[in-house]
Amino acid sequence: MSLRPYEVLAAQRLLPVLRSADADEAVRTVRTLLAAGCRAVELTTSTPGWPGAVARAAALADALGRPALVGVGTVTTAADAGTALDAGAGFLVSPYPAPEVRETAARRGAPFVEGGFTPGEIAAAVRRSGAAKVFPAHVGGPEFLRSLRAVLPGAVLIPTGGIAPGEVRDWLAAGATAVGIGSGLPTDPAELAALFASLAAYPAASGVRPARAHDAGHAAPAPGGPGGPGPRAHGPRPAAPDGPSAPSGGAAGPVGDGSVPAEGPVARGRAAHLPSAGSAPPGERPTTPEASADVGGGTRPSAPEPGRAVPHAGTEPGLRVPLRAPAVPDGIPHAPAVGPVPPKWPPTGPQARGVCPSVPEAGRGAAAGGEA
């Protein structure tokens, strides 16, 4: 078929739906509409002798000499679908989901605007053909259509049923591609021509584009363009680089001023910007967190000062867990167990003096030859 019904409907913005008393009346109405600037019109199977009316109307042309685009609505059976296409129908329309019509249209390569009311029915119709008839539209109103347009931005949506000509612009503003009108159109040729001219100039709703039947099922390009990376909505948090890192609230202070960064290596259990225990003078044990060694490097860190908040390894950056030295009986030196204890700690013998206060000095602890 050379005509592209969806594009014609998107340009015309109004689809007359004719339920005439007989075939002759239907053809006369089609002639009047075509002379007023209309090109696409829908006849219905409720009109007596509709196949003959479709054949006669399909042979007509509009005011610009273009062939008329005649659709057939209220098609619910495979038999009616075949009869309509044999008579020259340019597209088929159903008021509700019609699997038989769907199969016939697919086999014959004909555009099919399948009807639906629920979001699921309408979305299913759009997935199959790119278009859907929203019926009965007056039940949900323009706001219902606006909600549908938000989740079906590229669909051809044609609300029909209970819509007056004066309400057409409200539906177009809500996102309708075209609006089906079954009654109430002006009978005066000049007024009818003015109506079609004004609606044809009405701007398209945001996100609406004329769709085609063969467009259905094509996936939208990924954000960022074909082959290009798009914005990632989910995924792991990027790892912080090794080395000194400042807290999220500002830059880290100099070593020794009590500032402890909460991001970077510290959040992963490493304090790369802090001096190790080996930097303390020989014979002195580090006593502040700033002089703590790498937890995973084999040196036992010293106890934090009471009430001092230090970063907690493995937590999200910026979180701090206050740690307090546990209360112990007076006179018993101790060091809280923070991190893994090296297997050969504490040292024993003479070299322990001045290094580990937990090892008694000679003459103050156990008797010679006893346990240290």
Side-chain angles (χ1 to χ4, degrees):
M1 179 180 298
S2 58
L3 294 179
R4 294 173 176 173
Y6 297 165
E7 295 182 359
V8 174
L9 294 174
Q12 183 170 296
R13 311 311 298 274
L14 188 152
L15 175 62
V17 181
L18 307 183
R19 298 185 183 277
S20 306
D22 54 44
D24 290 339
E25 179 182 327
V27 174
R28 286 196 300 269
T29 304
V30 171
R31 290 182 184 274
T32 302
L33 291 169
L34 293 175
C38 176
R39 186 183 182 188
V41 63
E42 177 185 333
L43 304 183
T44 61
T45 59
S46 61
T47 298
W50 64 269
V54 172
R56 292 161 59 187
L60 301 176
D62 69 355
L64 299 178
R66 299 172 299 182
L69 176 59
V70 179
V72 177
T74 320
V75 180
T76 58
T77 65
D80 284 348
T83 301
L85 295 176
D86 292 340
F91 60 95
L92 304 176
V93 184
S94 71
Y96 48 78
E100 294 183 20
V101 181
R102 190 187 312 147
E103 294 174 2
T104 301
R107 186 175 64 254
R108 302 277 297 264
F112 175 39
V113 182
E114 192 167 12
F117 180 73
T118 68
E121 292 174 344
I122 296 169
V126 169
R127 282 196 304 268
R128 287 186 287 262
S129 67
K133 172 181 177 176
V134 182
F135 179 84
H138 69 92
V139 176
E143 290 305 314
F144 175 64
L145 183 72
R146 194 184 307 275
S147 298
L148 293 173
R149 172 59 68 194
V151 296
L152 299 170
V156 171
L157 299 178
I158 306 175
T160 308
I163 301 177
E167 302 171 341
V168 171
R169 287 176 175 81
D170 295 335
W171 288 90
L172 294 178
T177 305
V179 181
I181 298 293
S183 61
L185 290 175
T187 56
D188 180 74
E191 293 181 8
L192 190 60
L195 175 62
F196 278 105
S198 63
L199 293 179
Y202 193 89
S206 177
V208 179
R209 64 172 175 83
R212 305 176 187 176
H214 61 267
D215 290 338
H218 289 190
R232 183 178 61 187
H234 304 283
R237 182 191 303 271
D242 292 334
S245 175
S248 57
V255 176
D257 67 351
S259 63
V260 181
E263 295 184 72
V266 173
R268 299 193 298 274
R270 295 183 60 86
H273 74 295
L274 300 179
S276 64
S279 62
E284 295 185 9
R285 182 182 177 188
T287 58
T288 63
E290 286 77 4
S292 298
D294 184 341
V295 174
T299 304
R300 181 186 181 93
S302 62
E305 296 177 4
R308 184 67 168 279
V310 299
H312 190 276
T315 60
E316 292 291 334
L319 296 182
R320 292 172 178 265
V321 180
L323 298 178
R324 296 180 180 273
V328 295
D330 294 337
I332 301 179
H334 67 279
V338 180
V341 178
K344 293 184 179 181
W345 184 271
T348 59
Q351 59 178 312
R353 289 191 295 273
V355 178
C356 179
S358 64
V359 180
E361 296 182 6
R364 296 182 54 185
E371 293 183 354

